[in-house]
């Protein structure tokens, strides 16, 4: 082909592609190097927060929403750092409870003195359950529980399981290793 | 009244509203128990004026930064220092260098975060097994008794994308991670569009990528960033292809209904954009139509949202207390939120029109959470909902580097 018939559509195309290659190479190498270093660290940051669920064993203790039920609760979570300085105060009235005799039994006998209070013309029994200076070995909490240990007949066996009779959803509460948590549950039950 | 006077009044109104919510947000850093003592229940164990563990840090840093800022603005600092600050603020980088810098920053970010794709979502976040997987199993046509599962399936766009990520790519975290990378890219693009400076965009990207909250949730599928991405794009396209803005807004809405009131901020950003009045009117009409259709679908389309409404005004104030607890590890944000808010007002006075847009976006992304918990019983405030706030805060920081050299001829 005679030389005069060649049309150069983009004169700096080769230069442009060279720069493009440099950029791509730098991205690929940076990603590879940094990615290789960090893959070792990632596994150590697993959080492992899955609670043991009794509903895997039986439906008898299946939790139901606390809203519009015979029970109501208010949870206050106070977080302090290792020096005792106040980090945060969080409240919640949202969550679940287990509608079972076990819950009634714990409410009647394990939470101490009961008070009778009237809220919006409805009479309630009120108890408080306070846990102080608790260290949680997790980086955050999305739920707080009141656990009960229950014996359950499972086939021919009797097994012991943890059941969370009251479970409160909270806004995510970040925790550092040495943080100390106080929880104050105020639980109401409608008086018949 | 002239347009200029109207514009200035709007700027002051926006600044005042933002300042109020910022002060409401930062007060619990100094007194974490103050709001609970006043608006909470069973508070006999709380001291409202007990100082928080970050109170000294916040007060000292803000006095220093605001003091320096005011001295700089009033030209009361040594001229040498003033010139150095001005040089940094007017500094600009060529397009080619910007592309390389952005590529390296993204490369480092992707390299550091990519290993998280191999983490077990269910082990890290209980909601994955309890809510998201059951929802994906019955998606798109199944019904669930659990309102939390049902609510997931009302978020069609999100569920579609997560389903694709799980079924096609065999990793539910992959598309959420790609969305997070694109959030970083669009943070850059929005900053450059608002400031007309590439260096400001790079600064915004760096500020976003140092955020603890962003890095914590960037690969999490249960609390993905699709909605943040769609909302950011809906803002970005206002000046490019305006008719796409409501399309991306509706995608954001059906990814996360939380974004619903954000259209008000989009309209303000439109008002401050450099586009014709006719286009502004067209955007307004398109949003009125889109939002009306979305509201109609929510209330008449059998979604769970009307069922979760429950008004409790005291939770509005308590919501502000929760916000800062959720962002407790974002020290840069806590330190600079107030100075950036005040500084943006001065930038707005210096005719940087989108400084107001960022103020209103900061205002809206803060106040949305307290409003949400005040009007529903179903939701709690979670840190990932503040990723848009962190994005707009980052753009706001970038704006301080948007000063241009004035060439005298």
């Amino acid at each position: 082909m005679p030389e005069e018939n060649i049309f150069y559509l983009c004169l700096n195309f080769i230069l442009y592609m060279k720069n493009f290659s440099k950029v791509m190479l730098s991205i690929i190498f940076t990603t590879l190097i940094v990615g290789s270093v960090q893959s070792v660290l990632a596994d150590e940051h697993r959080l492992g927060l899955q609670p043991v669920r009794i509903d895997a064993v039986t439906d008898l203790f299946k939790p139901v929403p606390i809203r519009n039920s015979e029970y109501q609760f208010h949870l206050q979570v106070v977080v302090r750092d290792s020096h005792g300085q106040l980090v945060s105060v969080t409240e919640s009235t949202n969550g679940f409870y287990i509608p079972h005799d076990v819950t009634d039994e714990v409410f009647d006998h394990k939470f101490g003195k009961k008070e009778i209070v009237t809220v919006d013309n409805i009479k309630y029994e009120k108890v408080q359950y306070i846990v102080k200076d608790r260290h949680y070995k997790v980086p955050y909490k999305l739920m707080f529980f009141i656990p009960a240990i229950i014996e359950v007949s499972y086939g021919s066996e009797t097994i012991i399981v943890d059941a969370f009779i009251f479970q409160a959803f909270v806004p995510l509460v970040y925790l550092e290793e040495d943080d100390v948590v106080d929880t104050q549950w105020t639980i109401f039950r409608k008086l018949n | 009244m002239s347009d200029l006077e109207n514009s200035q009044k709007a700027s002051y109104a926006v600044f005042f509203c933002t300042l109020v919510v910022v002060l409401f947000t930062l007060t619990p850093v100094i007194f974490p128990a103050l709001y609970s003592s006043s608006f909470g229940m069973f508070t006999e164990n709380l001291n409202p004026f007990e100082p928080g563990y970050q109170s000294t840090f916040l007060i000292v840093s803000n006095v220093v930064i605001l003091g320096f800022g005011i001295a700089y603005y009033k030209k009361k600092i040594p001229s040498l220092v003033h010139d150095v600050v001005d040089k940094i603020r007017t500094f600009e980088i060529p397009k080619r260098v910007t592309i390389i810098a952005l590529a390296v920053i993204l490369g480092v970010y992707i390299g550091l975060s990519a290993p998280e794709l191999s983490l077990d979502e269910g082990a890290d976040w209980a909601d994955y097994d309890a809510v998201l997987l059951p929802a994906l199993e019955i998606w798109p046509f199944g019904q669930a008794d659990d309102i939390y599962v049902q609510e997931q399936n009302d978020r069609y766009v999100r569920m579609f994308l997560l389903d694709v990520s799980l079924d096609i790519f065999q990793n539910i975290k992959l598309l959420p991670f790609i969305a997070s990378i694109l959030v970083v890219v669009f943070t850059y693009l929005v900053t450059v569009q608002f400031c007309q400076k590439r260096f400001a965009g790079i600064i915004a990207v760096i500020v976003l990528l140092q955020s603890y909250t962003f890095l914590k949730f960037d690969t999490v599928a249960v609390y993905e960033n699709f909605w943040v991405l769609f909302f950011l794009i809906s803002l970005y396209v206002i000046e490019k292809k305006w008719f796409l803005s409501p399309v991306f807004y509706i995608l954001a809405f059906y990814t996360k209904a939380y974004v619903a009131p954000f259209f008000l901020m989009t309209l303000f950003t439109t008002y401050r954009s450099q586009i014709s009045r006719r286009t502004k009117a067209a955007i307004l009409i398109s949003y009125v139509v889109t939002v009306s259709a979305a509201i109609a679908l929510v209330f008449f389309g059998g979604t769970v949202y009307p069922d979760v409404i429950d008004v409790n005004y005291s939770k509005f104030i308590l919501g502000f207390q929760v916000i800062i607890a959720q962002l407790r590890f974002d020290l840069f944000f806590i330190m600079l939120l107030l100075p950036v808010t005040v500084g943006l007002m001065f930038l707005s006075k210096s005719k940087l029109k989108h400084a107001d847009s960022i103020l209103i976006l900061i205002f809206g992304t803060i106040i949305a959470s307290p409003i949400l918990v005040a009007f529903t019983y179903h939701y709690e405030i979670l840190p990932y909902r503040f990723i848009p706030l962190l994005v707009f805060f980052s753009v706001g920081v970038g704006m301080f580097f948007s000063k241009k050299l004035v060439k005298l001829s």
Side-chain angles (χ1 to χ4, degrees), chain B residues 31-45:
Chain B
F31 302 122
L34 180 63
Y35 296 161
S36 263
S37 302
S38 312
F39 297 94
M41 297 162 76
F42 313 108
T43 58
E44 57 281 354
N45 57 327

Side-chain angles (χ1 to χ4, degrees), chain B residues 245-247 249-250 283-296:
Chain B
S245 181
V247 174
Y249 168 77
I250 209 80
I283 291 175
L284 177 65
I285 292 165
S286 68
Y287 266 92
V288 169
V289 172
T290 308
V291 171
S292 306
I295 290 171

Side-chain angles (χ1 to χ4, degrees), chain A residues 27 30 34-35 38 47-50 67 74 76 80 86 89 91 94 140 142 171-172 174 176 179 184 188, chain B residues 36 40-42 45-46 50 52-53 96 103 108 111-112 123-126 148 310 321-322 326 328 377 381-382:
Chain A
I27 296 170
T30 319
V34 180
Q38 285 300 309
L47 307 171
L49 292 174
Q50 185 72 353
R67 188 178 156 79
H74 172 269
Q76 183 195 79
R80 291 178 186 278
L86 188 58
V89 179
E91 297 185 31
N94 188 16
Y140 60 83
L142 272 167
L172 191 142
Y174 277 123
E176 281 193 302
D179 284 351
Q184 175 183 287
F188 302 89
Chain B
S36 263
M41 297 162 76
F42 313 108
N45 57 327
L46 298 177
E50 181 178 350
Y53 83 123
R96 193 180 296 173
V108 171
L112 285 169
D124 293 348
W125 302 97
Y148 290 93
D310 181 42
Q321 177 175 285
V322 172
Q326 309 275 296
R328 68 178 274 206
Y377 73 89
I381 296 178
L382 295 170

Side-chain angles (χ1 to χ4, degrees), chain B residues 22-33:
Chain B
V22 164
L23 291 176
F24 264 114
T25 307
L26 290 176
T27 302
V29 179
I30 299 169
F31 302 122

Side-chain angles (χ1 to χ4, degrees), chain A residues 13 24 48 69 74 101 113 169 172 178-179 184 192:
Chain A
F13 184 69
M24 286 310 293
S69 75
H74 172 269
D101 292 346
K113 193 184 162 194
F169 283 134
L172 191 142
D178 297 328
D179 284 351
Q184 175 183 287
N192 290 327

Side-chain angles (χ1 to χ4, degrees), chain A residues 63-133:
Chain A
V64 298
I66 194 109
R67 188 178 156 79
N68 298 329
S69 75
E70 61 174 323
Y71 282 97
Q72 302 293 317
F73 63 64
H74 172 269
L75 171 67
Q76 183 195 79
V77 181
V78 177
V79 181
R80 291 178 186 278
D81 69 4
S82 54
H83 305 293
Q85 285 193 293
L86 188 58
V87 173
S88 65
V89 179
T90 307
E91 297 185 31
S92 172
T93 53
N94 188 16
F96 290 85
Y97 83 110
I98 294 176
H100 191 274
D101 292 346
V102 169
T103 309
D104 295 331
E105 205 177 303
V106 171
F107 185 88
D108 286 333
H109 303 296
K110 303 290 181 190
F111 289 143
K113 193 184 162 194
K114 280 187 272 187
E115 275 180 58
I116 307 292
V117 294
T118 305
V119 182
D120 296 334
N121 293 325
I122 302 172
K123 277 193 173 176
Y124 292 92
E125 293 170 282
K126 183 188 112 179
V127 293
Q128 279 205 324
Y129 174 68
I130 297 169
V131 181
K132 281 197 173 289
D133 299 337

